[in-house]
């Protein structure tokens, strides 16, 4: 039973948070949760005890007949951080790529050739931190994986990725030897500096320390300045005081810039578009020191395309 509770723990905290409207001072009857999840009678008190042992729940409002649970400060912080992460389009994009690639690996192992990508949508694995991935997110993920040679398949008009896809040898290598992380695999294969965690919680992306970015480049351009810009923006985005929707959009554009710059054949027009958008959003963010540095980096990167 403990293993079953462990698998449901994060969903349980999120469920309590939602029904208590985020208030630790509100107790929620766990019998509703056990009913929704088909658990046995009496599992509500066992579930409460498990949540307390993990530190996320308290029994302040429980009685002899009601397993009422409320969030502890630890549980509240966990849920709010989890919800913030799953609302980030950048983190969702990365999760969609990992999940789709692993699903296609399983399909290949089971002998299914070129399954419909749409069959992945709606499965239990097509989710991120308890939130279902959309068909558009999965389509974009398929396009990314195809572009980097991790999957193969034919597309149709109006779709970013293939409709039917099959994992390639490179994709199998990514799953089996690189923890199924497409971004890390692509960057390692490129042989340059990596920014596996270049987003808001990134560590070590410091100005002056990204001077040597090796890139397989067939377009006659040097994309290293754009990689550095994307990494820097990802690190400072949480320090700019931007409204959440604007910050999320900035992170999304930075991710697009990073992906394009690290691709085998980066397109100058797309890098110009993304870098110009990044610069405009940094200008709108205000005159913080970090924003000004980012603006200068954007101008320098754009200058390499002249």
């Amino acid at each position: 039973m403990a293993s079953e509770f462990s698998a449901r723990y994060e969903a349980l905290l999120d469920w309590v948070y939602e029904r208590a409207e985020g208030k630790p001072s509100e107790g929620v009857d766990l019998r509703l949760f056990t009913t929704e999840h088909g658990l046995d009678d009496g599992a509500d008190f066992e579930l409460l005890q498990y949540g307390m042992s993990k530190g996320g729940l308290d029994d302040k409002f429980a009685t002899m007949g009601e397993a009422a649970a409320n969030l502890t400060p630890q549980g509240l912080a966990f849920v709010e951080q989890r919800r913030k992460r799953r609302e980030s389009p950048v983190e969702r994009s990365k999760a969609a790529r990992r999940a789709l690639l692993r699903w296609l690996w399983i399909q290949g192992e089971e002998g299914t050739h070129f399954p419909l990508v749409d069959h992945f949508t709606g499965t239990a694995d097509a989710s991120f931190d308890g939130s279902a991935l959309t068909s558009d997110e999965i389509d974009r993920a398929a396009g990314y994986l195809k572009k980097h040679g991790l999957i193969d398949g034919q597309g149709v008009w109006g779709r970013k990725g293939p409709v039917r896809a099959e994992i390639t040898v490179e994709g199998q290598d990514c799953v089996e030897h690189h923890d199924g992380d497409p971004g890390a695999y692509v960057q390692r294969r490129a042989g340059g500096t990596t920014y596996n965690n270049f987003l808001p919680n990134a560590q070590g992306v410091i100005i002056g320390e990204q001077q040597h970015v090796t890139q397989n480049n067939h377009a006659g351009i040097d994309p290293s300045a754009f990689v550095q810009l994307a990494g820097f923006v990802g690190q400072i985005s949480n320090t700019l005081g931007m409204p959440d929707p604007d910050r999320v959009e900035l992170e999304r554009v930075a991710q697009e810039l990073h992906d394009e710059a690290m691709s085998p054949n980066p397109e100058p027009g797309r890098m110009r578009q993304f870098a110009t958008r990044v610069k405009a959003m940094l200008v709108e963010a205000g005159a913080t020191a970090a924003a000004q540095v980012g603006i200068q980096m954007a101008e320098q990167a754009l200058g390499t395309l002249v």
Side-chain angles (χ1 to χ4, degrees), residues 51-256:
M52 292 172 64
S53 72
K54 300 295 289 184
L57 296 179
D58 196 3
D59 62 351
K60 184 185 300 183
F61 301 98
T63 65
M64 291 294 293
E66 181 179 317
N70 62 288
L71 291 172
T72 64
Q74 175 183 329
L76 178 64
F78 174 84
V79 174
E80 290 182 339
Q81 181 180 11
R82 184 174 187 249
R83 288 192 163 209
K84 183 176 181 180
R85 183 173 64 248
R86 76 185 184 197
E87 290 171 0
S88 166
V90 173
E91 295 300 325
R92 293 182 67 87
S93 291
K94 294 194 292 185
R97 296 165 187 172
R98 290 193 299 268
L100 177 58
L101 185 64
R102 289 168 179 167
W103 182 77
L104 287 171
W105 181 88
I106 293 172
Q107 298 300 302
E109 290 295 298
E110 294 177 347
T112 304
H113 297 290
F114 289 97
L116 283 166
V117 172
D118 287 345
H119 284 177
F120 175 60
T121 307
T123 65
D125 292 329
S127 65
F128 174 56
D129 277 354
S131 174
L133 296 167
T134 67
S135 57
D136 187 54
E137 288 172 329
I138 293 170
D139 182 36
R140 291 201 305 270
Y144 176 92
L145 297 175
K146 171 71 182 294
K147 180 175 182 178
H148 290 285
L150 301 178
I151 66 173
D152 194 16
Q154 294 297 317
V156 297
W157 185 86
R159 295 283 289 262
K160 298 178 178 65
V163 176
R164 290 183 177 273
E166 188 169 68
I167 194 167
T168 63
V169 173
E170 289 80 5
Q172 291 174 343
D173 185 48
C174 176
V175 172
E176 296 168 7
H177 303 293
H178 298 274
D179 197 31
D181 185 341
Y185 178 77
V186 168
Q187 291 166 357
R188 288 172 188 148
R189 187 174 60 186
T193 299
T194 64
Y195 295 97
N196 297 338
N197 297 300
F198 78 99
L199 294 168
N201 61 349
Q203 301 295 324
V205 183
I206 304 172
I207 300 172
E209 292 190 358
Q210 308 98 20
Q211 301 303 316
H212 306 288
V213 181
T214 302
Q215 173 73 38
N216 293 334
N217 177 17
H218 305 290
I221 59 174
D222 178 9
S224 61
F226 296 92
V227 176
Q228 294 164 24
L229 171 62
F232 177 72
V233 169
Q235 187 179 9
I236 68 167
S237 61
N238 263 353
T239 72
L240 299 174
M242 303 173 72
D244 278 348
D246 293 343
R247 175 187 57 78
V248 167
E249 176 64 10
L250 176 62
E251 292 174 4
R252 185 192 68 78
V253 178
Q255 177 73 61
E256 294 277 10

